Amino acid sequence: MSHEELDQLRAKLDDKNMELLKLLNERGNLVKKIGEVKSKAGTKRFDPVRERKMLDLIAEENEGPFETTTLQHLFKQVFKASLELMGEDEQKTLLV
Amino acid sequence: MSHEELDQLRAKLDDKNMELLKLLNERGNLVKKIGEVKSKAGTKRFDPVRERKMLDLIAEENEGPFETTTLQHLFKQVFKASLELMGEDEQKTLLV
């Protein structure tokens, strides 16, 4: 019984992982677009004020079970990876 | 023009952040349930084989723009936070 329950929960978790993967990549594409707009405008990619606002919004909207600090840590990792995504594109542009 | 475009893209990014927040917490609740089932069955929470399978699935399904290694790094952080979530509950149970 509990093994069947575990298998069902794991299948749901796999679905969530795939949703998460899709969402992260969708977010990545958005960040790339933002990077392009900023590049044309000559604005710096990294914006600490904007990053702070996003982290504050996470704190406001968090309903758990994760602690806000844990989520903010995870989001910071996502922000970091996204900045690298923008940097990489910039390099590619320079090579063309 | 580009400032308006930037504002629109940022609004979309905020939406994606909120979707991400919701999804991470939904995933967190699922992981907690898995922890409860495992606890009743006396099974260890951390399952490296299962974790490896989830990471392999991410590699198979990744369509970019993020590199697979970047996504796997992010997911490992999520797995780590999820394990802590299970551990915390276990402690709470011991206190009751």
Side-chain angles (χ1 to χ4, degrees), chain A residues 30-46:
Chain A
L30 258 176
V31 167
K32 279 180 76 175
K33 279 186 196 166
I34 290 174
E36 283 161 22
V37 173
K38 282 189 168 182
S39 178
K40 281 180 198 163
T43 322
K44 272 187 190 168
R45 309 288 192 287
F46 177 58

Side-chain angles (χ1 to χ4, degrees), chain A residues 4 29 31 43 86:
Chain A
E4 194 183 310
N29 281 321
V31 167
T43 322
M86 288 202 263

